[in-house]
Amino acid sequence: MNKRMVTGGIFLLLGVLLTLDNLDILRFSLPDYLFGWYTILIVVGIFLSTVREKVGFGITLIIIGGIFLLDEMAYEYYWDFDFRDIFRLWPLVFVAIGVSLITRRNKKDDYEKKSFENEVDFVDELAVFSGAERVVTSKTFKGGKLTSIFGGTELNLINADLDHGTNVLDVFVLFGGCDIRVPADMNVKVKVTAIFGGFSDERKIINENEANTGKELVIKGLVLFGGGEVK
């Protein structure tokens, strides 16, 4: 709900500002240098370092995208900056250290997270400019995370079963795809927000099984310029 509200709020604000600009009530325009591939790197990096807790990889993408963004801004505003001036950004090392200290968890949290990732009942797959496949045979599957960025992920749950209660699988797709294969009698609810994309349940036959009463898989998340389906 929080991610949906934030995403909806951004689009709402952008739509209102652009409408006011078209009506000549309020002048609003976005600089051309914001519309570049490097901006996508920055957005993805922020998402990975905050939501997905992949701080190292996320900060790397932010730095790479930020350098190219600074170069474009320097050309636009006639700043004295080019790629050779990257060494002038050495104070960002202190920023990285600060972020690391703030986001670092204590040993107990690290141990719990490590144990969480090692369990076969959970998945945490990341595909960036590549593909990732995972086959799960656990009889108490509890969900996890699937991230596809300019790539694709495939999760096979055909021989798996759900744990009792609600099990959440969080999906994030950006210019990619995500396929989830499930048994015909698995209780699946799709609650994915799709923007310039789609995510649907494509199963032709859905069987009912009393043994699965009280078990459900909730697939939620965000799809941007991509797609996904449950098969």
Side-chain angles (χ1 to χ4, degrees):
M1 179 61 68
N2 290 336
K3 289 187 291 184
R4 182 179 301 177
M5 291 179 63
V6 171
T7 305
I10 292 174
F11 276 88
L12 176 62
L13 179 61
L14 185 61
V16 170
L17 291 176
L18 291 176
T19 301
L20 293 177
D21 179 68
N22 288 340
L23 296 175
D24 295 326
I25 298 176
L26 175 67
R27 302 306 303 170
F28 172 78
S29 63
L30 294 175
D32 293 336
Y33 56 77
L34 290 181
F35 300 94
W37 60 269
Y38 40 82
T39 305
I40 297 177
L41 290 183
I42 295 175
V43 173
V44 172
I46 294 174
F47 176 83
L48 291 178
S49 59
T50 54
V51 179
R52 294 297 185 183
E53 299 182 356
K54 298 182 183 296
V55 179
F57 186 54
I59 291 179
T60 301
L61 292 181
I62 293 174
I63 292 175
I64 294 174
I67 291 174
F68 283 93
L69 176 60
L70 283 176
D71 185 64
E72 291 294 326
M73 293 176 66
Y75 178 79
E76 180 74 18
Y77 298 113
Y78 304 101
W79 292 349
D80 181 20
F81 177 85
D82 56 36
F83 284 111
R84 292 174 296 178
D85 294 328
I86 187 175
F87 297 104
R88 294 165 57 183
L89 302 177
W90 66 265
L92 291 178
V93 173
F94 294 107
V95 176
I97 294 175
V99 172
S100 177
L101 291 175
I102 293 173
T103 58
R104 180 179 296 172
R105 301 184 177 187
N106 55 41
K107 294 182 178 179
K108 180 180 179 181
D109 291 334
D110 290 338
Y111 174 79
E112 291 178 351
K113 182 178 179 181
K114 183 177 180 181
S115 299
F116 172 86
E117 293 176 344
N118 288 336
E119 290 184 14
V120 295
D121 297 337
F122 297 90
V123 295
D124 190 356
E125 296 297 323
L126 172 65
V128 181
F129 295 101
S130 63
E133 297 182 8
R134 179 71 178 274
V135 178
V136 176
T137 58
S138 171
K139 301 305 178 183
T140 55
F141 181 67
K142 298 180 175 65
K145 298 178 181 179
L146 298 177
T147 304
S148 304
I149 302 173
F150 291 96
T153 54
E154 182 174 337
L155 177 63
N156 191 330
L157 301 175
I158 294 296
N159 297 316
D161 197 2
L162 298 174
D163 192 20
H164 287 279
T166 300
N167 306 281
V168 179
L169 183 63
D170 191 285
V171 174
F172 176 75
V173 178
L174 177 64
F175 291 102
C178 177
D179 290 335
I180 304 172
R181 299 180 181 274
V182 301
D185 60 349
M186 181 175 286
N187 297 324
V188 179
K189 292 183 179 179
V190 177
K191 298 182 179 180
V192 177
T193 301
I195 301 175
F196 297 107
F199 197 101
S200 60
D201 190 343
E202 297 295 330
R203 290 179 293 173
K204 303 301 181 182
I205 300 176
I206 301 177
N207 299 328
E208 294 184 0
N209 189 344
E210 293 183 359
N212 289 332
T213 303
K215 303 178 183 179
E216 66 175 359
L217 177 65
V218 177
I219 303 175
K220 67 176 186 177
L222 179 65
V223 174
L224 294 171
F225 299 98
E229 60 184 13
V230 179
K231 299 178 179 180

